Amino acid sequence: MRTATCLLMLLGLAPRLQAREARDPFEWLDRMNRASAVMLLEEDIIEPKQAATIAAAIEKLHAESREPNFRRSGLYVSIEPRLLEIGGPDVSRLHTGRSTIDTGRTNLRLQQRDLILNSYQELLEARATLLRFDEAHAQAIVPAYTLGVQAQPTSLGHYIAGYLSVFERHATLLADTYLNINQSPLGAAALGTSSYLINRQRLADLLGFEAPIRNSFDAVQLATLEASMRITGATSAMAMTTSELMSDLEDQYRMTHPWLTLPRELTVGSSIMPQKLNPTMINETRAQASTVLGRSVSYMFGAHKASAGDTDLMFSGPNEALTDTAAMMRSVARIFSVLQFDEPRALDEVLSDYAVATELANALQRLADVPFRDAHHVAAAVVQFGRDRKLRPTEIAFGDFKRIYADAAAKYHLPRLRAAFNEAEFKRVLRPENMVMSSRGYGGPQPAEVAAMLRELALQLETDRGWLREKNEQLAAADARLDAAFSKL
Amino acid sequence: MRTATCLLMLLGLAPRLQAREARDPFEWLDRMNRASAVMLLEEDIIEPKQAATIAAAIEKLHAESREPNFRRSGLYVSIEPRLLEIGGPDVSRLHTGRSTIDTGRTNLRLQQRDLILNSYQELLEARATLLRFDEAHAQAIVPAYTLGVQAQPTSLGHYIAGYLSVFERHATLLADTYLNINQSPLGAAALGTSSYLINRQRLADLLGFEAPIRNSFDAVQLATLEASMRITGATSAMAMTTSELMSDLEDQYRMTHPWLTLPRELTVGSSIMPQKLNPTMINETRAQASTVLGRSVSYMFGAHKASAGDTDLMFSGPNEALTDTAAMMRSVARIFSVLQFDEPRALDEVLSDYAVATELANALQRLADVPFRDAHHVAAAVVQFGRDRKLRPTEIAFGDFKRIYADAAAKYHLPRLRAAFNEAEFKRVLRPENMVMSSRGYGGPQPAEVAAMLRELALQLETDRGWLREKNEQLAAADARLDAAFSKL
Amino acid sequence: MRTATCLLMLLGLAPRLQAREARDPFEWLDRMNRASAVMLLEEDIIEPKQAATIAAAIEKLHAESREPNFRRSGLYVSIEPRLLEIGGPDVSRLHTGRSTIDTGRTNLRLQQRDLILNSYQELLEARATLLRFDEAHAQAIVPAYTLGVQAQPTSLGHYIAGYLSVFERHATLLADTYLNINQSPLGAAALGTSSYLINRQRLADLLGFEAPIRNSFDAVQLATLEASMRITGATSAMAMTTSELMSDLEDQYRMTHPWLTLPRELTVGSSIMPQKLNPTMINETRAQASTVLGRSVSYMFGAHKASAGDTDLMFSGPNEALTDTAAMMRSVARIFSVLQFDEPRALDEVLSDYAVATELANALQRLADVPFRDAHHVAAAVVQFGRDRKLRPTEIAFGDFKRIYADAAAKYHLPRLRAAFNEAEFKRVLRPENMVMSSRGYGGPQPAEVAAMLRELALQLETDRGWLREKNEQLAAADARLDAAFSKL
Amino acid sequence: MRTATCLLMLLGLAPRLQAREARDPFEWLDRMNRASAVMLLEEDIIEPKQAATIAAAIEKLHAESREPNFRRSGLYVSIEPRLLEIGGPDVSRLHTGRSTIDTGRTNLRLQQRDLILNSYQELLEARATLLRFDEAHAQAIVPAYTLGVQAQPTSLGHYIAGYLSVFERHATLLADTYLNINQSPLGAAALGTSSYLINRQRLADLLGFEAPIRNSFDAVQLATLEASMRITGATSAMAMTTSELMSDLEDQYRMTHPWLTLPRELTVGSSIMPQKLNPTMINETRAQASTVLGRSVSYMFGAHKASAGDTDLMFSGPNEALTDTAAMMRSVARIFSVLQFDEPRALDEVLSDYAVATELANALQRLADVPFRDAHHVAAAVVQFGRDRKLRPTEIAFGDFKRIYADAAAKYHLPRLRAAFNEAEFKRVLRPENMVMSSRGYGGPQPAEVAAMLRELALQLETDRGWLREKNEQLAAADARLDAAFSKL
């Protein structure tokens, strides 16, 4: 586990990646205007003097935008009047071969691009936090539940690593979504491009897009819906997993003695119940998940039955879903950075039920060659015996077991109990830690497998950090490209 | 366009890929049982004689399953009693290291795998049908709408190619979903594997999975939810695009003279309105889209707030969503295989409004160097003049235009109208076909771009057919592998 | 129709009912505090001197709340520290027998009460506006659609009166919802009341509630969910009808010549398409309906699977749904206060299809005793004849009809055409206005029935205005009662 | 409590109301046909001989419908051919003044009417079962939870009576929905009635409707959506409350020792975990609630954005929601008819936490005149003292309490502890049963209030049974009326 430890230390020390400053619709319109001015001159659609006039107007308006009370709009028609006041009628040539539609849908994608990277970053932070939590308690025994009922003991390391695997796959989904979004509609105009030879590739390049969307009708009339569904698909999936994890934690608080708890000072009290410690952080994180799902369905209501090009398709629901998803993942990170674990209490919960009964049956089959189903009948009889006498599994005497076995042997025509299955074995198989330690399957809770999985998870986290860094660098490079080209106008 | 034509002919001649016979849960349980028997013997967990007994019992039960009234269950506990009757208690060793949970969740994925491939195939067929329809009418002029109002003329080729691009991306989404689904939970048992050295890789291989899911807790407690959300995300996205396309067609039928119609014999009449031709096929396809969305949200209601391992996570909603999605895509193919297009009527609709006004403004800027916004003011005045007199754009006299321009020139301080903008140009720019033919942007409606896009779409369709063929072959190879190994027991 | 006209004039002149000033959570907490202080003294739970101290602290805090930067909270625990600073520890006795839970859930209902009345008032205004629009065009002929295809002519009066009937029933639903909401949880404390003899009836009375909710566990743990579902049920129903009406209007704009239009100056133009008149008001009203539905489903995601007393149940989604519903109904009123109707255009649309074919069949049965189905076969043949020749129904010659009839008579063994069905009758039954005027069914589009329905709708509108006035008066009386009692402390 | 007991005995003995035999669409079409035939003759629209021919054809077809393989359709156009074969062309006069639309939407309501009454009856049964369960354990102490954390003790009687109150209100909602649904669209034809004087009131009367829907456009084009939203609103509300109750029960099973359990023989075991007792009945009942919500949202997706008259509005989602709601309520009844309660275990859970702390504070204020907030500070200190030492509240010594009080008194400037607050009082207020017994609020958990509420609930249940009986009798009377009138044709 040393490699993992080492990586984790690095993670712990690594400075949190700086989130890109999110631009608002006005800023993105400004960037599109700059890109248009550069391209229009390069393609001889405007003359150098016109380009200079346009550039000056853009810069002046941008300077004005820093003043208080400036009305920041992402709609070109809202800022055009002021641009014309500043630079005269030729400035409107800036909009040549564009429309409100392609600039609007491009603006949406430019915002979504930042929001996806932001969600991705918060997801990385949450994974890093879960990984640290997991490493700290990897081999502790905890009960696991199936169908809402205690089922078998597992290790906390195994359980948390399971969630980490899902969040790892969610990162892939988000990255795929980013690639789908980061395609440029710009230059499609209202839907059919125009009679000007607009260089859509160049516009895409100056704004950091991977490429222009091939078909201009698709670009502005159809792809917005598809991209929005990609986003809500990804955020809904993340919300569901987060909801599942928060449900596990909320289940803790219904017990008088949970083993996973927030620090007392981070719980919220009651105005009249002095004993209450409400896990509000957890409740609110789950509420965030519900909100993300609600945003998704709200968008679907708006967009369903829209004809191509309808206004409903441009709803901002996916943007809000991404904002909420980032906040939700931040909450998960916050919770696991403070969550406390009470190991003896978790073990006590396992010991107070018969979660080890499966292993008793397995051992009977393996050591005493009792056929599978018969071994389970014997184990079931042991459970019943113990429950009737309010015994814990560890409190059942070997003598009693032998009597139970003999009865079952008569009923099911079993061989006599083999000597291999002696008292020491019997006692061993009824201990929770034995069941966890003796698991042998690929991906099971046994220490070697958990350690291997944690190493792999840490490595993939580093890889994903690299992906994010690369995307941020690509966008920064595009910014620099555009600034350099624009400064020459 | 010859290449595309050639490809399309090939597509037309190509036999429809045979859909894999969908196995029901009982059949898939039978396949898992065979795989378990093979692996347990290979790993020395059972003895050769036990393996033979088990294999014989499996074969006998499978033979019985072809009889009428056989109760086909996908639950191991439902079939175990009969297996034990046939082969005695040792047959239950078949279930060693497995549980209802991992077999259940594996069964779900095995079914979903077929359903995804089935949806993929229907999507391919729909794309092939749309492509044929598109090629037949590629250069015809049709009105396009933005915000629900006629906006600009485009070509039918451009419009349909736009939808084809989206459906092409949906195929990628489905293929990604397939990869996410085709991972094996088998051998995870209830959640923590077992004290038997179950070979999960071998089980995955015999059942055609890419690999076992790494973490056994994830495999059975968490990944089912994530995979289900992937499926509903993909099917919802497909439903939305289908809904959009059907809305476009339904919009046709509100007009007394649509240009896209079903053949009369495929419409549905009324019991008391002899003139009614209801486009029921279209309405029902849209209803299928609504149902797919409903299935998605239904699943989300069931799964939200489930704790890890809860029964709600195993709901079959995603399977039903896939079944409905396949049917929906089949309906799209059926509609476009019979849809009729009335070219003169579509052109007449364009001519009855001022959808070419943008190009009038563009031409004024390009030929007469009128600044962008001013050119649009002139075009707006022309539109107003024509509408006031109930003229079509092609009916406006050049003399009237010159008067309008002169008025605008005085108001906006424009230069005199350049000679380049003569009567012939004026008449030309007001013709819809000119606006489409003179588009110059990448991905626009002009014939060269549409032809290029159709070629690319046809090629990608062939590539995607190849992907499907490969996946089907992989599954067939796994089937053969398992049958061969099992026959030796 | 004089009575209706008279009523409508009254409605037109009647001043818009003043909406109750909506109190925020802080104001409602203040009202609850005053009610508690009054009741606690009346029940001898606090002493007169304590009551005076409490009252003074409440008044001082309320005065401070008018200052800028005051942090207005609806949570008692947030304001208690300042109350204690002002009046000392005895002020906390104000909270005796209460809790954050009952005050919180009561606060929610107090807000919802105002929001329901506000939605009700906007619904009344929308109904008044629709009624005025309807009366202005009651007998104009318009096409009606079934399954999205033109079906039969009706009168605009009949069509709009249909919507008015639905909105009338929605008012009943809202009023029922008000009664469900206006019940008091106060005094239930956390769930089980307390060992103090809190007078819950008196608290309800001082705050304008109908009554306390009987069971204190229900009051704070269960009824919030039920009440929220009532609200979202009512707002969703209103949103659906509004969506339906807006869809009808949006359908207009896909045609080049709609008959129901917004004034040009209220439409929104395009930055590059000079001819575009986008009906943004209509699109946005439909978007409001989508939002209301989204709020409803969002709430359901949050509340589903909550155990009794969970925090998720108190989500404010229903409040937001009500706010959006009020805005949506206001938009409907605004649209119909300016909507323009082009009567000749509507009639022309009817005449361009065979929407009267049903009446041709009816007349054949009634005047010529042709059996029902046979009469429809004849009418269908007439439609086919006309469509093949691109004739409007009014353009078909009687001679042609006779030939068609003779052919059908031979085929279906019909009697000779009776003399009663002469040319004048034939021409008459093919006129749209005849079909509307000769309708005889209860609730049909004929003028007498439309006039009767409009009278009834106007009367019910007055009745509903009376209901709203009464509710407002009841709340004002409760306010006065509380102020009077508090001023005596 | 004697009256309640007596009523409950009556309920127990009362035979379960016989559910009305649900008619399928074919049967309801048959009933409509009979009603049309009767009315058409009464209004002289058909002649006696024609009526006799029609009646004979209807009877013959109905006789044939009992044969195997008969294709039962609710669509008139599907059965008309056979009717004409039987009786000749005049039989088609039966459809005079009707259409597929009004018969279709009437058919939907006729089915929904039965389904609502069926849901109502199952709701009554569930209430009766809950009432019996409640009466059996009315005064037992159980913990109650707020925000998912143990809060205060209450009585099981109080808790269950809370749910009963909500289900009582749901019955009102269902009854209101019934009144909304039970209105007749018949005779509206496609939307505008017809030129025949169809007697819509008579048709309504013969089919058991309250009245015809006033406006014929509303009747068939608008009201279906509104009625469907009423139904889904009601079923969603019922599903939410059921989900809440099932969540409470599922929470039990996460504990190793629940106090509310299904009998062992009604739980479901595991194939490999011999100790598992899965509460499948409870899980499935919650899944039914999720399905009802899903049906509701599915319908909304289909119906949203439908224009008036669209096919989407007639979706059968509301019918399915009602069917599922009836099954869901039946499941609730089944669960509570077998649910077992372990009273000592419930009390032990209360005693293992500090749920009585509120009452300690209340007693300090009441008996020792400690100001409210100060009393709560003292109680909080007691809780902290006990938790630090792992003491139960009943294990804290009075001496320790006095020291804690003295410390607090110094800190908060409290008076010396009054003698009234002696050791006996101290011990008393820390006992859960004291907290419940000494509640004094209206609707609280104290025995007198619980008994009063149970009496009221039992009385209202009888009233509601009366409502159902009355509705069933009204429908039976209409059936008899129609049969008598039809037999005379």
Side-chain angles (χ1 to χ4, degrees), chain B residues 145-146 150-151 251 254 264 271-273 275-276 301-302 304-305 312 354 358 373 376 384 387, chain C residues 145-146 150-151 251 254 264 271-273 275-276 301-302 304-305 312 354 358 373 376 384 387:
Chain B
Y145 299 77
T146 61
Q150 195 183 136
D251 290 337
R254 285 194 90 80
R264 195 189 144 86
S271 68
I272 61 153
M273 292 179 283
Q275 87 287 0
K276 269 309 237 12
F301 272 124
H304 184 40
K305 297 195 183 176
D312 294 357
Y354 280 80
T358 305
R373 183 54 58 215
H376 280 77
Q384 195 55 46
R387 282 188 174 151
Chain C
Y145 298 78
T146 60
Q150 195 183 135
D251 290 336
R254 284 195 91 79
R264 195 188 144 86
S271 69
I272 61 152
M273 293 178 282
Q275 87 287 1
K276 271 307 243 7
F301 272 124
H304 184 40
K305 297 195 183 175
D312 294 356
Y354 281 79
T358 305
R373 184 52 60 212
H376 280 78
Q384 195 55 44
R387 282 188 174 152

Side-chain angles (χ1 to χ4, degrees), chain A residues 210-323:
Chain A
E210 304 276 332
I213 295 174
R214 183 66 179 99
N215 180 303
S216 67
F217 185 84
D218 175 21
V220 290
Q221 304 289 70
L222 307 176
T224 309
L225 170 58
E226 183 232 3
S228 297
M229 291 304 294
R230 285 287 188 110
I231 293 172
T232 58
T235 55
S236 296
M238 291 168 71
M240 276 294 184
T241 303
T242 303
S243 164
E244 193 177 14
L245 180 54
M246 291 304 111
S247 288
D248 287 357
L249 296 182
E250 289 189 346
D251 290 337
Q252 289 282 313
Y253 272 84
R254 286 195 88 81
M255 292 181 286
T256 49
H257 300 292
W259 51 93
L260 289 168
T261 51
L262 295 172
R264 193 189 146 88
E265 64 277 14
L266 293 177
T267 56
V268 173
S270 150
S271 69
I272 61 154
M273 294 179 281
Q275 88 286 1
K276 270 305 239 15
L277 304 173
N278 294 316
T280 306
M281 276 170 77
I282 295 169
N283 304 150
E284 287 183 350
T285 306
R286 194 165 56 198
Q288 288 174 311
S290 299
T291 301
V292 170
L293 296 177
R295 297 246 185 257
S296 172
V297 178
S298 290
Y299 177 79
M300 287 198 251
F301 272 125
H304 184 39
K305 296 196 184 177
S307 302
D310 275 6
T311 182
D312 293 358
L313 304 169
M314 273 180 72
F315 283 176
S316 61
N319 297 36
E320 292 154 15
L322 283 166
T323 302

Side-chain angles (χ1 to χ4, degrees), chain A residues 360-381:
Chain A
L360 173 57
N362 281 341
L364 281 168
Q365 179 177 351
R366 205 172 48 248
L367 302 175
D369 199 37
V370 181
F372 180 88
R373 183 54 59 213
D374 297 328
H376 281 77
H377 289 316
V378 174

Side-chain angles (χ1 to χ4, degrees), chain A residues 146 272 276 302 305 312 358 384, chain D residues 146 272 276 302 305 312 358:
Chain A
T146 61
I272 61 154
K276 270 305 239 15
K305 296 196 184 177
D312 293 358
T358 305
Q384 195 55 45
Chain D
T146 61
I272 61 154
K276 273 304 242 10
K305 297 198 184 175
D312 294 357
T358 305

